[in-house]
Amino acid sequence: MSDKQTTIKGMHVMDRLEDGLAERVSRRLSELDSDLPRLITDYAFGSVVARPGLDLKTREMLTVASLISLGNATPQLELHMKAAINVGVSPEELLEVVIQMAVYAGVPACMNGLASYRNIMNEKGLVLPGLKEEVA
């Protein structure tokens, strides 16, 4: 695959995660270094995330779990939580991913993930799963 094809594939994946994401990320990264957008777009999204072995929904759940485990990537975590919902992860599934991290990343990492989860649910105007019975 040519570099241009990898870039286009990466941009397509990014825009599936969030409309306009490729352009926004490229613009912000190019303010720092002109090669940076291509590195992120081509490698992370065009060469890794676009691989055929897992669907995008599964990849986003794994990404959220990994970012919670890192414990120091809140902006990326919240971006990928939104992206997960955008590609079909339900709020309930996303919450289960966060809760699962209490076992494997520790309770503090889970609690931080829950704070980000609340932020994203609020930002997207979605009802918290535990409050659905009250709303119905």
Side-chain angles (χ1 to χ4, degrees):
M1 182 179 306
S2 74
D3 288 347
K4 182 73 170 165
Q5 289 172 312
T6 303
T7 300
I8 291 168
K9 185 184 248 186
M11 292 178 81
H12 175 71
V13 169
M14 291 172 79
D15 286 339
R16 284 182 59 202
L17 298 178
E18 186 175 302
D19 192 40
L21 180 63
E23 175 59 33
R24 283 195 316 277
V25 168
S26 292
R27 185 177 56 249
R28 298 214 44 215
L29 291 174
S30 66
E31 293 171 353
L32 303 171
D33 182 278
S34 62
D35 289 332
L36 210 45
R38 186 178 49 75
L39 284 170
I40 300 302
T41 301
D42 292 13
Y43 174 66
F45 293 96
S47 295
V48 177
V49 179
R51 289 177 52 85
L54 295 171
D55 62 25
L56 199 50
K57 178 181 173 181
T58 302
R59 287 186 189 277
E60 282 304 300
M61 288 191 287
L62 292 167
T63 300
V64 166
S66 296
L67 291 168
I68 290 169
S69 294
L70 283 175
N72 61 0
T74 301
Q76 292 80 16
L77 173 59
E78 292 188 358
L79 181 143
H80 284 283
M81 283 182 160
K82 287 186 277 189
I85 290 170
N86 291 344
V87 299
V89 176
S90 72
E92 294 80 9
E93 289 172 318
L94 187 57
L95 179 59
E96 288 303 319
V97 169
V98 177
I99 293 168
Q100 179 82 8
M101 292 303 94
V103 176
Y104 295 98
V107 172
C110 174
M111 296 300 288
N112 290 340
L114 290 170
S116 289
Y117 177 82
R118 281 181 176 276
N119 290 342
I120 296 315
M121 294 294 289
N122 185 51
E123 184 178 317
K124 292 187 84 53
L126 298 170
V127 176
L128 294 171
L131 298 178
K132 284 191 174 176
E133 290 101 32
E134 293 178 21
V135 174

